[in-house]
Amino acid sequence: QGIDNAFWNCKLMVYGDGIQAFKPLAGGLDIAGHEMTHGVTQFSAGLNYINESGALNEAFSDIFGTIIEFYAKPSSANWLVGNEIGVTLRSMSNPNAYGNPDTYGGTNWYVGSGDNGGVHTNSGVANYWFYLLTMGGSGTNDLGSSFNVSGISIEKSRMIAYRTLTNYLFPTSNYADARFYSILSAIDLYGACS
C-alpha cells in the first residue's frame, strides 16, 4: 500500500495502489502488460537495465503493454502509456510531448547517469519506431533526415517486435542492434524487401 509505482523485481510483479500521483496501477491494462513484458525480456533477451539496452527493455515493455491494450480494448486503446491510471507517462506516437526523444541522438535524448542512463527517457526512440511501423507517418526527424513510412498494422508489427526481442537481442544490445535485428526479423517473417 502507499506505492506510486509498478515494477518487476526479477521474480514477481508489484502494483502499487497509487496513493498520491496515480490510481491503482493494476487498473492500467498497458501498465500490467508492461510489467509482464519485463519478465518475458528477462527470460529471453535478458536486456541489461542500463543505458541503451535498458531503454530497449523499457520500450519493449511499453510496446507489448500497448499491444495488449489494443487487443483487449480495441475501441478505446491508444498510444499513451499509463493514461488509464490517471497520469500519462509516455506517448508512443509523440514521445517529445512528454520529454522523450523520438530520434536517436535527437531532441530530449538523455546522456547521463540518472534513471540508469535514461532507460525511461530514451525508450521513446523504440516506442516511436513501433508506432511508425504500425501506423505509418512522414516528416523530418530531429537530425534533418526525412522519412515516409507506410504502416503495416499492429498484427504484423507485433510479430516483428516479438521475434526481435525473443530470437535475436541479447543483454548488451543497443539501438544499432535493435535496428539490424528488427530488419532481420521482418525478413524472416515476411521476406526480403517486405
Side-chain angles (χ1 to χ4, degrees), residues 59-110:
F60 278 106
S61 284
D62 285 351
I63 287 166
F64 286 103
T66 298
I67 289 167
I68 290 166
E69 184 178 325
F70 271 91
Y71 176 80
K73 296 181 175 182
S75 63
S76 63
N78 58 56
W79 296 96
L80 301 174
V81 177
N83 67 302
E84 292 178 305
I85 61 167
V87 178
T88 299
L89 303 170
R90 291 178 287 283
S91 169
M92 296 177 71
S93 62
N94 184 8
N96 288 162
Y98 292 88
N100 305 126
D102 62 12
T103 305
Y104 185 90
T107 303
N108 298 323
W109 180 260
Y110 179 78

Coordinates of all heavy atoms in Angstrom, one line a residue, residues 59-110:
A59 N 11.2 0.1 -23.6 CA 10.4 0.2 -24.8 C 9.6 -1.0 -25.1 O 8.5 -0.9 -25.5 CB 11.3 0.7 -26.0
F60 N 10.3 -2.2 -25.1 CA 9.6 -3.4 -25.4 C 8.4 -3.6 -24.4 O 7.4 -4.1 -24.8 CB 10.5 -4.6 -25.5 CG 11.2 -4.7 -26.8 CD1 12.5 -4.4 -26.9 CD2 10.5 -5.2 -27.9 CE1 13.1 -4.5 -28.2 CE2 11.1 -5.3 -29.2 CZ 12.4 -4.9 -29.3
S61 N 8.6 -3.2 -23.1 CA 7.5 -3.3 -22.2 C 6.4 -2.4 -22.6 O 5.2 -2.7 -22.5 CB 8.0 -3.0 -20.8 OG 8.7 -4.2 -20.3
D62 N 6.7 -1.1 -23.0 CA 5.7 -0.2 -23.5 C 5.0 -0.8 -24.7 O 3.8 -0.7 -24.8 CB 6.3 1.1 -23.8 CG 6.6 2.0 -22.6 OD1 6.3 1.6 -21.5 OD2 7.3 3.0 -22.8
I63 N 5.8 -1.3 -25.6 CA 5.2 -1.9 -26.9 C 4.2 -3.0 -26.6 O 3.1 -3.0 -27.1 CB 6.4 -2.3 -27.8 CG1 7.1 -1.1 -28.3 CG2 5.9 -3.3 -28.9 CD1 8.5 -1.5 -29.0
F64 N 4.6 -4.0 -25.8 CA 3.7 -5.1 -25.6 C 2.6 -4.7 -24.6 O 1.5 -5.3 -24.8 CB 4.5 -6.3 -25.1 CG 5.2 -6.9 -26.3 CD1 6.6 -6.7 -26.4 CD2 4.5 -7.6 -27.3 CE1 7.2 -7.2 -27.5 CE2 5.2 -8.1 -28.4 CZ 6.5 -7.9 -28.5
G65 N 2.8 -3.8 -23.7 CA 1.6 -3.3 -22.9 C 0.6 -2.6 -23.8 O -0.6 -2.8 -23.7
T66 N 1.1 -1.9 -24.8 CA 0.2 -1.3 -25.8 C -0.5 -2.3 -26.7 O -1.7 -2.2 -27.0 CB 0.9 -0.2 -26.6 OG1 1.4 0.8 -25.7 CG2 0.0 0.5 -27.6
I67 N 0.2 -3.3 -27.1 CA -0.3 -4.3 -28.0 C -1.5 -5.0 -27.2 O -2.5 -5.3 -27.8 CB 0.8 -5.4 -28.4 CG1 1.7 -4.8 -29.4 CG2 0.1 -6.6 -28.9 CD1 3.0 -5.6 -29.6
I68 N -1.3 -5.3 -25.9 CA -2.3 -5.9 -25.1 C -3.5 -5.0 -25.0 O -4.6 -5.5 -25.1 CB -1.7 -6.3 -23.7 CG1 -0.7 -7.5 -23.9 CG2 -2.8 -6.7 -22.7 CD1 0.1 -7.7 -22.6
E69 N -3.3 -3.8 -24.8 CA -4.4 -2.8 -24.7 C -5.2 -2.8 -26.0 O -6.4 -2.8 -26.0 CB -3.9 -1.4 -24.4 CG -5.0 -0.4 -24.2 CD -4.5 1.0 -23.8 OE1 -3.5 1.1 -23.1 OE2 -5.1 1.9 -24.3
F70 N -4.5 -2.8 -27.2 CA -5.2 -2.8 -28.5 C -6.0 -4.1 -28.7 O -7.0 -4.1 -29.3 CB -4.2 -2.5 -29.6 CG -4.1 -1.0 -29.9 CD1 -3.1 -0.3 -29.3 CD2 -4.9 -0.4 -30.8 CE1 -2.9 1.0 -29.6 CE2 -4.8 0.9 -31.1 CZ -3.8 1.7 -30.5
Y71 N -5.4 -5.2 -28.2 CA -6.1 -6.5 -28.3 C -7.3 -6.6 -27.4 O -8.4 -7.0 -27.9 CB -5.1 -7.6 -27.9 CG -5.8 -9.0 -28.0 CD1 -5.9 -9.7 -29.2 CD2 -6.2 -9.6 -26.8 CE1 -6.6 -10.9 -29.2 CE2 -6.8 -10.8 -26.8 CZ -7.0 -11.5 -28.0 OH -7.6 -12.7 -28.0
A72 N -7.2 -6.1 -26.2 CA -8.3 -6.3 -25.2 C -9.4 -5.2 -25.3 O -10.5 -5.4 -25.1 CB -7.7 -6.3 -23.8
K73 N -9.0 -4.0 -25.7 CA -9.9 -2.9 -25.8 C -9.7 -2.1 -27.1 O -9.3 -0.9 -27.0 CB -9.6 -1.9 -24.6 CG -9.9 -2.5 -23.2 CD -9.6 -1.4 -22.2 CE -10.0 -1.9 -20.8 NZ -9.7 -0.8 -19.8
P74 N -10.0 -2.7 -28.2 CA -9.7 -2.0 -29.5 C -10.4 -0.7 -29.7 O -9.9 0.2 -30.3 CB -10.1 -3.1 -30.5 CG -11.0 -4.0 -29.8 CD -10.6 -4.0 -28.4
S75 N -11.6 -0.6 -29.1 CA -12.3 0.7 -29.3 C -11.8 1.9 -28.5 O -12.0 3.0 -28.8 CB -13.8 0.5 -29.0 OG -14.0 0.1 -27.7
S76 N -11.1 1.6 -27.4 CA -10.6 2.7 -26.5 C -9.1 2.7 -26.4 O -8.5 3.6 -25.7 CB -11.2 2.6 -25.2 OG -10.8 1.4 -24.5
A77 N -8.4 1.8 -27.1 CA -6.9 1.7 -27.0 C -6.3 3.0 -27.6 O -6.9 3.6 -28.5 CB -6.4 0.5 -27.6
N78 N -5.1 3.3 -27.1 CA -4.4 4.5 -27.6 C -2.9 4.3 -27.5 O -2.4 3.2 -27.0 CB -4.9 5.7 -26.9 CG -4.7 5.6 -25.4 OD1 -3.5 5.4 -24.9 ND2 -5.7 5.8 -24.6
W79 N -2.1 5.3 -27.9 CA -0.7 5.2 -27.9 C -0.1 5.9 -26.7 O 1.1 6.2 -26.7 CB -0.1 5.8 -29.2 CG -0.6 4.9 -30.3 CD1 -1.7 5.1 -31.2 CD2 0.0 3.7 -30.8 NE1 -1.7 4.1 -32.1 CE2 -0.7 3.2 -31.9 CE3 1.1 3.0 -30.4 CZ2 -0.4 2.1 -32.6 CZ3 1.5 1.8 -31.1 CH2 0.7 1.4 -32.1
L80 N -0.9 6.1 -25.6 CA -0.4 6.8 -24.4 C -0.1 5.7 -23.4 O -1.0 4.8 -23.1 CB -1.4 7.8 -23.9 CG -1.8 8.9 -24.9 CD1 -3.0 9.7 -24.3 CD2 -0.6 9.7 -25.2
V81 N 1.0 5.8 -22.7 CA 1.4 4.8 -21.7 C 0.9 5.3 -20.3 O 1.4 6.4 -19.9 CB 2.9 4.5 -21.7 CG1 3.3 3.6 -20.6 CG2 3.3 4.0 -23.1
G82 N 0.0 4.6 -19.7 CA -0.4 4.9 -18.3 C -1.6 5.8 -18.2 O -2.0 6.0 -17.0
N83 N -2.2 6.2 -19.2 CA -3.3 7.2 -19.1 C -4.5 6.5 -18.3 O -5.3 7.3 -17.7 CB -3.8 7.7 -20.4 CG -4.4 6.7 -21.3 OD1 -3.8 5.7 -21.7 ND2 -5.7 6.9 -21.7
E84 N -4.6 5.2 -18.3 CA -5.7 4.6 -17.5 C -5.5 4.7 -16.0 O -6.4 4.5 -15.2 CB -5.8 3.1 -17.9 CG -6.3 2.8 -19.3 CD -6.3 1.3 -19.6 OE1 -5.3 0.7 -19.4 OE2 -7.4 0.9 -19.9
I85 N -4.3 5.1 -15.6 CA -4.1 5.2 -14.1 C -4.1 6.7 -13.7 O -3.7 7.0 -12.6 CB -2.7 4.5 -13.7 CG1 -1.5 5.1 -14.4 CG2 -2.8 3.0 -13.9 CD1 -0.2 4.8 -13.8
G86 N -4.5 7.6 -14.6 CA -4.7 9.0 -14.3 C -3.5 9.9 -14.7 O -3.7 11.1 -14.6
V87 N -2.4 9.3 -15.1 CA -1.3 10.2 -15.5 C -0.6 9.5 -16.7 O -0.2 8.4 -16.6 CB -0.2 10.2 -14.3 CG1 1.0 11.1 -14.8 CG2 -0.8 10.9 -13.1
T88 N -0.5 10.3 -17.8 CA 0.2 9.7 -18.9 C 1.7 9.8 -18.7 O 2.2 10.9 -18.4 CB -0.2 10.5 -20.2 OG1 -1.6 10.3 -20.4 CG2 0.5 10.0 -21.4
L89 N 2.4 8.7 -18.8 CA 3.8 8.7 -18.5 C 4.6 8.9 -19.8 O 5.6 9.6 -19.8 CB 4.2 7.3 -17.9 CG 3.4 6.9 -16.7 CD1 3.7 5.5 -16.3 CD2 3.8 7.9 -15.5
R90 N 4.1 8.4 -20.9 CA 4.8 8.5 -22.2 C 3.8 8.4 -23.3 O 2.8 7.8 -23.2 CB 5.9 7.3 -22.4 CG 7.1 7.4 -21.4 CD 8.0 6.3 -21.6 NE 7.5 5.0 -21.0 CZ 7.5 4.7 -19.8 NH1 7.9 5.5 -18.8 NH2 7.1 3.5 -19.4
S91 N 4.2 9.0 -24.5 CA 3.4 8.9 -25.7 C 4.3 8.1 -26.7 O 5.4 8.6 -27.0 CB 3.0 10.2 -26.2 OG 2.4 10.1 -27.5
M92 N 3.7 7.1 -27.3 CA 4.5 6.4 -28.3 C 4.3 7.1 -29.7 O 5.2 7.0 -30.5 CB 4.0 4.9 -28.4 CG 4.3 4.2 -27.1 SD 3.6 2.5 -27.1 CE 4.8 1.7 -28.3
S93 N 3.2 7.8 -29.9 CA 3.0 8.5 -31.2 C 3.7 9.8 -31.2 O 3.9 10.4 -32.3 CB 1.5 8.6 -31.4 OG 0.9 9.4 -30.4
N94 N 4.0 10.4 -30.0 CA 4.7 11.7 -30.0 C 5.5 11.7 -28.7 O 5.1 12.4 -27.7 CB 3.6 12.8 -30.0 CG 4.3 14.2 -30.0 OD1 5.5 14.3 -30.1 ND2 3.5 15.2 -29.8
P95 N 6.6 11.0 -28.7 CA 7.4 11.0 -27.4 C 7.9 12.4 -26.9 O 7.9 12.6 -25.7 CB 8.6 10.1 -27.9 CG 8.1 9.3 -28.9 CD 7.1 10.1 -29.7
N96 N 8.1 13.3 -27.9 CA 8.6 14.6 -27.4 C 7.6 15.3 -26.5 O 8.0 16.2 -25.7 CB 8.9 15.5 -28.7 CG 10.1 15.1 -29.4 OD1 10.3 15.5 -30.6 ND2 11.0 14.4 -28.8
A97 N 6.3 15.0 -26.7 CA 5.3 15.7 -25.9 C 5.4 15.4 -24.4 O 5.0 16.2 -23.6 CB 3.9 15.2 -26.3
Y98 N 6.1 14.3 -24.0 CA 6.4 14.0 -22.6 C 7.9 14.0 -22.3 O 8.3 13.4 -21.3 CB 5.7 12.7 -22.3 CG 4.2 12.8 -22.3 CD1 3.5 12.6 -23.5 CD2 3.5 13.2 -21.2 CE1 2.1 12.8 -23.6 CE2 2.1 13.4 -21.3 CZ 1.4 13.2 -22.5 OH 0.1 13.3 -22.5
G99 N 8.6 14.7 -23.1 CA 10.1 14.9 -22.8 C 11.0 13.7 -23.2 O 12.1 13.7 -22.7
N100 N 10.5 12.9 -24.0 CA 11.2 11.7 -24.5 C 11.6 11.9 -26.0 O 10.9 12.6 -26.7 CB 10.4 10.4 -24.4 CG 9.9 10.2 -23.0 OD1 8.7 10.0 -22.8 ND2 10.8 10.3 -22.0
P101 N 12.8 11.4 -26.4 CA 13.2 11.5 -27.8 C 12.4 10.6 -28.7 O 12.0 9.5 -28.3 CB 14.6 11.1 -27.8 CG 14.7 10.1 -26.7 CD 13.7 10.6 -25.6
D102 N 12.2 11.1 -29.9 CA 11.6 10.2 -31.0 C 12.7 9.8 -32.0 O 12.5 9.1 -32.9 CB 10.4 10.8 -31.7 CG 10.7 12.1 -32.4 OD1 11.9 12.5 -32.6 OD2 9.7 12.8 -32.8
T103 N 13.9 10.4 -31.8 CA 15.0 10.2 -32.8 C 16.3 9.9 -31.9 O 16.5 10.6 -30.9 CB 15.3 11.5 -33.6 OG1 14.1 11.9 -34.2 CG2 16.4 11.4 -34.6
Y104 N 17.0 8.9 -32.4 CA 18.3 8.6 -31.7 C 19.2 9.8 -31.8 O 19.6 10.3 -32.8 CB 18.9 7.4 -32.4 CG 20.2 6.9 -31.7 CD1 20.1 5.9 -30.7 CD2 21.4 7.4 -32.0 CE1 21.2 5.5 -30.0 CE2 22.5 6.9 -31.4 CZ 22.4 6.0 -30.4 OH 23.6 5.5 -29.7
G105 N 19.6 10.3 -30.6 CA 20.5 11.4 -30.5 C 19.8 12.8 -30.8 O 20.5 13.8 -30.8
G106 N 18.5 12.8 -30.9 CA 17.8 14.0 -31.2 C 17.3 14.7 -30.0 O 17.8 14.5 -28.9
T107 N 16.3 15.5 -30.2 CA 15.7 16.3 -29.1 C 15.3 15.4 -27.9 O 14.6 14.4 -28.2 CB 14.4 17.1 -29.6 OG1 14.8 17.9 -30.7 CG2 13.8 17.9 -28.5
N108 N 15.6 15.8 -26.7 CA 15.3 15.1 -25.5 C 16.2 13.8 -25.3 O 15.9 13.1 -24.3 CB 13.8 14.7 -25.4 CG 13.0 15.9 -25.3 OD1 13.3 17.0 -24.7 ND2 11.8 15.9 -26.0
W109 N 17.1 13.5 -26.2 CA 18.0 12.3 -26.0 C 18.8 12.5 -24.7 O 19.4 13.6 -24.5 CB 18.9 12.1 -27.2 CG 19.8 10.9 -27.0 CD1 21.1 10.9 -26.6 CD2 19.5 9.5 -27.2 NE1 21.6 9.6 -26.5 CE2 20.6 8.7 -26.9 CE3 18.3 8.8 -27.5 CZ2 20.6 7.4 -26.9 CZ3 18.3 7.4 -27.6 CH2 19.5 6.7 -27.3
Y110 N 18.7 11.6 -23.8 CA 19.4 11.8 -22.5 C 20.7 11.1 -22.5 O 20.9 9.9 -22.9 CB 18.5 11.1 -21.4 CG 19.1 11.3 -20.0 CD1 19.1 12.5 -19.3 CD2 19.8 10.2 -19.4 CE1 19.7 12.6 -18.1 CE2 20.4 10.4 -18.2 CZ 20.3 11.6 -17.5 OH 20.9 11.7 -16.3

